[in-house]
Amino acid sequence: MAVQPLVRARDLHVSFVSRDSTVKAVNGIDLDLVEGEVLCILGESGSGKSVTLRALMQLNPKGKTVMSGELNVAGNDMMTISDAKLSAMRGKVVSMIFQEPMTALDPVFTIGQQIGETLMRHEGIGYREAEKKALDLLELVQIPSAKRRLGAYPHELSGGLRQRAMIAMAISCRPKLLLADEPTTALDATVQIQILLLLRRLQQELGMGVVFVTHDLGVAGEIADRIAVMYAGRMVELGSVTDVMAKPLHPYAQGLMGATVHAGNRGKRLTTIPGSPPDLRFPIPGCAFAPRCQYVGDACREHVPDFRYPAEGRAVRCVKAEEVAAA
Amino acid sequence: MSTTFSNEVAATPAATRKIAREDTYWRGVGRRLLRDKMTLVCGAILIVMTVLIVFAPLIAPWGPTDGSIARRLKPVGTPGHLLGTDELGRDMLSRLLYGGRYSWFVGITPVVLAFVIGGGIGIIAGFAGGKINMAIMRVTDVFYAFPSVLLAVAVSGSLGAGIANAIMSLTIVFIPPIIRVAESVTTGVRNLDYAEAARATGAGPTSIVMVHVLPNVLGPIFVYATSLVGVSMIVASGLSFLGLGIKPPDPEWGLMLNTLRTAIYTQPLIATLPGVCIFLTSVCFNFVSDGLRTAMDVRA
Amino acid sequence: MLYYIFRRIIYIIPISLAVSLVCFMLVHIAPGDPIDAMVQPDTPQEVIDRVRAEYGLDRPLPVQFGVWLAKVAQGDFGTSLIKGRPVLPDLVSASGATFILACTGGLLGFVLGCVFGGLAGVYRGTWIDRILLGTAVAGVSVPHYWLGMVMVIIFSVNMNLLPAMGAGPGGSTEWAWDWAHIRYLILPSLTLAVIPAGIVTRTVRGLVSDIMSQDYITTLRGKGMRRRGIVWHVVKNAAPTVLAVIGLQLANLMGGSILVETVFAWPGTGMMLNTAIFQRDIPVLQATTLVLALFFVVLNLLVDLVQTAIDPRISRR
């Protein structure tokens, strides 16, 4: 019996329309996630990773966003879902944690109140009970002196504690899917590890599926089961974390691995990828990475490469995949 | 590898290359302003009014004080008197045109004076910082303790009626808010990174002020000052309405409203005409000022 | 926190002194001798000197200021030159009348302003926003004394619905909360409400629009909060600033009602000030200005304290 996937996206396109221009942020991606799995979307700024994440719960700005394609989350067709059902899903079935907890939390409400209101909204309980549950959650995310911290305002907490509070708020209703938008990027290095470990533990305890967006390879290596590499609004490589990091097949992914400091690169020079990401206001005829690629050929510039499947669970969008693999 | 860049540029069609060229700030401001229809319409109205007022002696069919009681309070559309006559038989259209000169003068001059004086003091306060700043701002706070109408009326009432006194009292009223805005903008700019960078390269205080600070603060202060013109005209006319300010028989819109009050029972339309002029001027100035502010706001 | 309140209250003292000084100086910036207002033109010199000594006008200015201040502190606001009786009682009843007018007009203006501004901020950029904003700009651009005249023309002269002048039937100045009196209040308070309505609309619109673009609103949507919940968050974030603006506007209404009171012959401090100016009744002019300005100062203080109390971000140390 096939397992119902938690997330299924096919040929998803997301554009932002304004009076001056149209930005095609996401250009046809496919995504699959099953329950309990951790997928990491890796990419630079402007690659479309955050937009993809927000599209999973339709959180992009309403007036400006145009979406097309197929998107199914936890059995709901997200392209035709009603506003009421969407609102009921958010926070209960699928939850999100954001990059900057200082601005993502309301400064004039205590964290106890903010966690509590989520519980009251979705579980229909009263204020007293919500407060008790919020206390339990704070302890679950390992915030010291939890009772005192319930009445604290966001600006009274350190960055790490704020992020823990936001995580507590997100998991409060035991969601099946957790979306994380670079949750550790704004934190100090030591705190980053703590938060990552916390997330991994919570994921295992609650059996959540997680889509984790980051630009940091080290973070991906720490927490992910699978990695999807994004460039200019498209997925360019997909595979398990060990496979992709040990043997990247796409030239961009190769460049990324070569540019990062890790054990595999010891004693070698770090590589750089020349040029910069393309401007997504203008349509790109062929492979978006062509201008910066060292293996580029004519076929690359003519049309967008299709996916190739060199192994089970591996996908790569490059016509020269075998050539790159041999390198 | 570097040759791949020119390929990228060459690949984009010429039309899109035009968008990609860097926009200067002022070009962006101009573009946004041109798109804002409301501001354009109001700006056009103001220009028309300016022309009418400046050329009043050439356009007005009658003199501002010509009149006889026999012709008093004739309605709008009377032959020879397009907008009727007032309570002393003087032609409304002519008085409105001439009155505009006084109203605009007493309305705009205080703002200009306050912009220069208040702006100067505020910029000095913001730039100097420390004790000088504190001293200036505390004194400003005292004047802020008065509601503006009250202060204008009280000062004007003490000084007595007359144009000069009205202008003086209004200038006094508007200097404190401009000082505040100027000081806060200057302090903000002074603390910004590029001012520090300039200092780090050894630039002296005068050149920092001229090159970096002034161009950046004059804009916001100017926009704030334009938003005060509407208020100034209303208060200036209000002073005349109360009998301070312009003295009869000189025409001024506020004064005309006062003397026409008795006419509201017989010729209500004529009685309200001066107010319409004040309203129109004020509205247009406010819309233009708002439009300027929106166009200059980079975040919008 | 208490220390902060204490310090803030203490700050009033130098401000009040300075304000009193300005009020006092108002008289002395007037051209001519204050004496001229009090005596006939051809009075013999020794009578003038005696009057001068009586009023203490022959002493140096700082001394005069000190004397005046001392008297004010004891509740003696001087004697009206024209009416010949103490200023204080008249001032009190006039203040009451102005207070009623200002509060009513203010309340109307604030409610309208909050509603319009809230709607405009939420629907920013749509036609709703443009209409409401246009109305607000028109509101602050209108000369309210002219608007009062227009209202009188429409409702009194043409429709004969509401009275044009005064605060009570038969020109009485005693106030009562019955329909006979309230009908006198309607037109002036509506007129007065227009400008604060415009200002509050613009402020609330800017605030709400700013708040709606904040990250935490996205978080709220992301956790499935319903519209009511999001509105509550917006209100609580906007409240401190909105209350501050409302407080300031109320103070402005008290001090700036002179023009509307003149149009409607409303027996308040504005009318009192107006009359005093024309009759060159110096003590009344000084006293009225002082009271209105001090009221403004006190109201500013209250606004400051309330704002500190309800906004958790402001440090209380």
Side-chain angles (χ1 to χ4, degrees), chain C residues 77-112:
Chain C
F77 281 76
T79 313
S80 162
L81 290 176
I82 304 301
K83 299 213 191 101
R85 43 170 208 260
V87 178
L88 192 57
D90 290 335
L91 191 55
V92 168
S93 69
S95 301
T98 302
F99 193 68
I100 294 175
L101 182 59
C103 285
T104 315
L107 200 63
L108 274 170
F110 306 149
V111 169
L112 270 177

Side-chain angles (χ1 to χ4, degrees), chain B residues 35-171:
Chain B
R35 270 212 298 243
D36 189 345
K37 285 184 279 249
M38 198 65 201
T39 307
L40 285 181
V41 166
C42 290
I45 296 181
L46 283 178
I47 293 179
V48 168
M49 284 179 86
T50 314
V51 169
L52 284 178
I53 286 176
V54 165
F55 290 107
L58 298 175
I59 306 178
W62 301 76
T65 46
D66 298 341
S68 77
I69 304 274
R71 283 204 304 268
R72 68 193 293 269
L73 291 178
K74 291 255 176 274
V76 171
T78 318
H81 297 283
L82 194 60
L83 292 176
T85 59
D86 68 358
E87 78 287 356
L88 288 182
R90 299 171 289 202
D91 177 43
M92 279 302 290
L93 178 60
S94 310
R95 274 180 72 82
L96 284 175
L97 284 172
Y98 277 97
R101 305 180 123 199
Y102 283 101
S103 299
W104 276 52
F105 183 63
V106 182
I108 298 184
T109 313
V111 178
V112 170
L113 286 174
F115 174 64
V116 170
I117 301 177
I121 299 180
I123 293 182
I124 293 177
F127 199 68
K131 289 224 163 55
I132 302 181
N133 180 319
M134 268 211 58
I136 295 182
M137 295 317 286
R138 289 292 146 259
V139 171
T140 313
D141 277 349
V142 171
F143 283 95
Y144 242 96
F146 291 86
S148 35
V149 175
L150 179 65
L151 189 57
V153 169
V155 172
S156 210
S158 302
L159 290 175
I163 300 186
N165 292 338
I167 293 184
M168 212 186 320
S169 67
L170 280 172
T171 311

Side-chain angles (χ1 to χ4, degrees), chain A residues 121-190:
Chain A
R121 156 63 170 120
H122 290 292
E123 320 244 298
I125 57 181
Y127 184 67
R128 291 255 170 272
E129 209 187 324
E131 213 180 19
K132 258 193 329 123
K133 286 199 171 183
L135 184 57
D136 293 337
L137 283 163
L138 286 186
E139 283 166 1
L140 185 61
V141 296
Q142 295 167 329
I143 291 185
S145 319
K147 198 146 190 297
R148 193 161 53 91
R149 292 275 158 65
L150 260 187
Y153 290 93
H155 66 271
E156 294 173 348
L157 301 174
S158 71
L161 289 186
R162 277 198 288 270
Q163 194 57 287
R164 287 177 197 265
M166 182 138 77
I167 295 175
M169 193 165 75
I171 64 170
S172 57
C173 303
R174 303 283 189 269
K176 290 201 201 144
L177 176 63
L178 181 66
L179 306 174
D181 192 354
E182 304 209 49
T184 56
T185 305
L187 302 172
D188 294 336
T190 44

